[in-house]
Short mmCIF file of all heavy atoms in Angstrom, two decimals:
data_model
loop_
_atom_site.label_atom_id
_atom_site.label_comp_id
_atom_site.label_asym_id
_atom_site.label_seq_id
_atom_site.Cartn_x
_atom_site.Cartn_y
_atom_site.Cartn_z
N SER A 1236 107.66 104.22 94.08
CA SER A 1236 106.93 103.77 92.89
C SER A 1236 107.92 103.25 91.87
O SER A 1236 109.04 103.76 91.76
CB SER A 1236 106.10 104.91 92.30
OG SER A 1236 106.93 105.90 91.76
N PRO A 1249 98.46 82.65 99.75
CA PRO A 1249 97.70 83.54 100.61
C PRO A 1249 97.64 84.99 100.12
O PRO A 1249 96.84 85.76 100.58
CB PRO A 1249 98.44 83.46 101.94
CG PRO A 1249 99.86 83.22 101.56
CD PRO A 1249 99.79 82.36 100.32
N ILE A 1251 98.10 87.66 96.46
CA ILE A 1251 98.33 87.85 95.04
C ILE A 1251 99.76 88.33 94.84
O ILE A 1251 100.26 89.18 95.58
CB ILE A 1251 97.35 88.90 94.48
CG1 ILE A 1251 95.93 88.35 94.51
CG2 ILE A 1251 97.74 89.34 93.08
CD1 ILE A 1251 94.87 89.37 94.16
N ASP A 1256 109.40 93.16 85.11
CA ASP A 1256 110.73 93.61 84.75
C ASP A 1256 110.74 95.14 84.78
O ASP A 1256 109.89 95.77 84.17
CB ASP A 1256 111.11 93.13 83.35
CG ASP A 1256 111.40 91.65 83.30
OD1 ASP A 1256 111.60 91.02 84.36
OD2 ASP A 1256 111.44 91.10 82.18
N LYS A 1266 114.35 92.34 88.29
CA LYS A 1266 113.19 91.47 88.44
C LYS A 1266 112.51 91.81 89.77
O LYS A 1266 113.00 91.48 90.84
CB LYS A 1266 113.60 90.00 88.44
CG LYS A 1266 114.37 89.58 87.22
CD LYS A 1266 113.47 89.42 86.05
CE LYS A 1266 114.24 88.85 84.86
NZ LYS A 1266 113.41 88.75 83.70
N TRP A 1267 111.36 92.49 89.71
CA TRP A 1267 110.62 92.91 90.90
C TRP A 1267 109.44 92.00 91.17
O TRP A 1267 108.86 91.43 90.25
CB TRP A 1267 110.10 94.33 90.69
CG TRP A 1267 111.12 95.38 90.98
CD1 TRP A 1267 112.11 95.82 90.16
CD2 TRP A 1267 111.26 96.11 92.20
NE1 TRP A 1267 112.85 96.78 90.78
CE2 TRP A 1267 112.35 96.98 92.05
CE3 TRP A 1267 110.57 96.10 93.41
CZ2 TRP A 1267 112.77 97.85 93.04
CZ3 TRP A 1267 110.97 96.97 94.40
CH2 TRP A 1267 112.04 97.83 94.23
N MET A 1268 109.07 91.92 92.44
CA MET A 1268 107.89 91.16 92.87
C MET A 1268 107.07 92.09 93.77
O MET A 1268 107.61 92.73 94.69
CB MET A 1268 108.31 89.92 93.66
CG MET A 1268 107.16 89.18 94.33
SD MET A 1268 106.16 88.23 93.21
CE MET A 1268 107.30 86.94 92.78
N MET A 1276 89.87 88.65 99.13
CA MET A 1276 89.69 90.07 99.46
C MET A 1276 89.67 90.93 98.20
O MET A 1276 88.83 91.82 98.08
CB MET A 1276 90.82 90.55 100.38
CG MET A 1276 90.80 89.94 101.76
SD MET A 1276 89.63 90.74 102.84
CE MET A 1276 90.39 92.31 103.10
N GLY A 1281 87.69 94.59 95.43
CA GLY A 1281 88.31 95.29 94.32
C GLY A 1281 87.82 94.86 92.97
O GLY A 1281 88.18 95.45 91.96
N LYS A 1289 97.50 91.29 83.00
CA LYS A 1289 97.99 90.34 81.98
C LYS A 1289 99.50 90.50 81.79
O LYS A 1289 100.04 91.59 81.97
CB LYS A 1289 97.27 90.58 80.67
CG LYS A 1289 95.78 90.30 80.75
CD LYS A 1289 95.07 90.74 79.49
CE LYS A 1289 93.58 90.52 79.54
NZ LYS A 1289 92.90 91.04 80.70
N ASP A 1291 102.78 91.26 80.04
CA ASP A 1291 103.14 92.34 79.11
C ASP A 1291 102.40 93.64 79.36
O ASP A 1291 102.69 94.63 78.68
CB ASP A 1291 102.99 91.92 77.63
CG ASP A 1291 103.99 90.85 77.23
OD1 ASP A 1291 105.11 90.83 77.80
OD2 ASP A 1291 103.65 90.02 76.37
N ASP A 1292 101.47 93.69 80.34
CA ASP A 1292 100.92 94.98 80.75
C ASP A 1292 102.04 95.82 81.35
O ASP A 1292 102.91 95.30 82.05
CB ASP A 1292 99.83 94.82 81.82
CG ASP A 1292 98.48 94.42 81.27
OD1 ASP A 1292 98.30 94.41 80.04
OD2 ASP A 1292 97.60 94.08 82.10
N VAL A 1293 102.02 97.12 81.08
CA VAL A 1293 102.97 98.04 81.71
C VAL A 1293 102.20 98.74 82.82
O VAL A 1293 101.26 99.48 82.57
CB VAL A 1293 103.54 99.06 80.69
CG1 VAL A 1293 104.44 100.04 81.40
CG2 VAL A 1293 104.29 98.32 79.59
N ILE A 1294 102.61 98.44 84.07
CA ILE A 1294 101.90 98.98 85.24
C ILE A 1294 102.90 99.68 86.16
O ILE A 1294 104.10 99.53 86.01
CB ILE A 1294 101.13 97.88 86.01
CG1 ILE A 1294 102.10 96.85 86.58
CG2 ILE A 1294 100.10 97.20 85.11
CD1 ILE A 1294 101.44 95.82 87.49
N PHE A 1296 103.77 100.16 90.23
CA PHE A 1296 103.62 99.75 91.63
C PHE A 1296 103.86 100.95 92.53
O PHE A 1296 104.79 101.72 92.28
CB PHE A 1296 104.69 98.74 92.05
CG PHE A 1296 104.53 97.32 91.59
CD1 PHE A 1296 105.57 96.43 91.80
CD2 PHE A 1296 103.40 96.85 90.96
CE1 PHE A 1296 105.49 95.11 91.41
CE2 PHE A 1296 103.30 95.53 90.56
CZ PHE A 1296 104.35 94.66 90.79
N PHE A 1307 111.51 93.57 96.18
CA PHE A 1307 110.22 93.07 96.66
C PHE A 1307 109.48 94.23 97.31
O PHE A 1307 110.08 95.05 98.02
CB PHE A 1307 110.40 91.94 97.66
CG PHE A 1307 109.11 91.32 98.09
CD1 PHE A 1307 108.53 90.31 97.35
CD2 PHE A 1307 108.46 91.77 99.23
CE1 PHE A 1307 107.32 89.75 97.74
CE2 PHE A 1307 107.26 91.21 99.64
CZ PHE A 1307 106.69 90.19 98.89
N LYS A 1312 99.21 100.48 96.02
CA LYS A 1312 98.42 100.95 94.88
C LYS A 1312 99.08 100.45 93.59
O LYS A 1312 100.30 100.31 93.53
CB LYS A 1312 98.36 102.47 94.87
CG LYS A 1312 97.59 103.06 93.72
CD LYS A 1312 97.38 104.56 93.86
CE LYS A 1312 98.54 105.37 93.41
NZ LYS A 1312 98.28 106.82 93.33
N ILE A 1313 98.23 100.19 92.59
CA ILE A 1313 98.71 99.85 91.24
C ILE A 1313 97.99 100.76 90.25
O ILE A 1313 96.78 100.98 90.38
CB ILE A 1313 98.41 98.39 90.89
CG1 ILE A 1313 99.21 97.44 91.76
CG2 ILE A 1313 98.69 98.11 89.42
CD1 ILE A 1313 98.85 95.99 91.56
N VAL A 1314 98.72 101.28 89.29
CA VAL A 1314 98.11 102.04 88.20
C VAL A 1314 98.25 101.19 86.93
O VAL A 1314 99.34 100.78 86.54
CB VAL A 1314 98.79 103.42 88.01
CG1 VAL A 1314 98.16 104.16 86.84
CG2 VAL A 1314 98.67 104.24 89.29
N GLY A 1318 95.26 103.75 83.02
CA GLY A 1318 95.20 104.81 84.03
C GLY A 1318 94.34 104.47 85.23
O GLY A 1318 94.33 105.21 86.21
N LEU A 1324 95.68 97.84 98.57
CA LEU A 1324 95.91 96.46 98.20
C LEU A 1324 96.43 95.67 99.39
O LEU A 1324 96.61 94.53 99.36
CB LEU A 1324 96.90 96.38 97.04
CG LEU A 1324 96.51 97.18 95.79
CD1 LEU A 1324 97.60 97.08 94.75
CD2 LEU A 1324 95.22 96.67 95.21
#
Side-chain angles (χ1 to χ4, degrees):
S1236 67
I1251 292 172
D1256 287 344
K1266 304 284 186 183
W1267 277 82
M1268 171 75 70
M1276 292 279 290
K1289 296 171 182 51
D1291 293 329
D1292 280 351
V1293 176
I1294 64 173
F1296 283 172
F1307 185 86
K1312 179 171 82 170
I1313 293 174
V1314 178
L1324 305 176

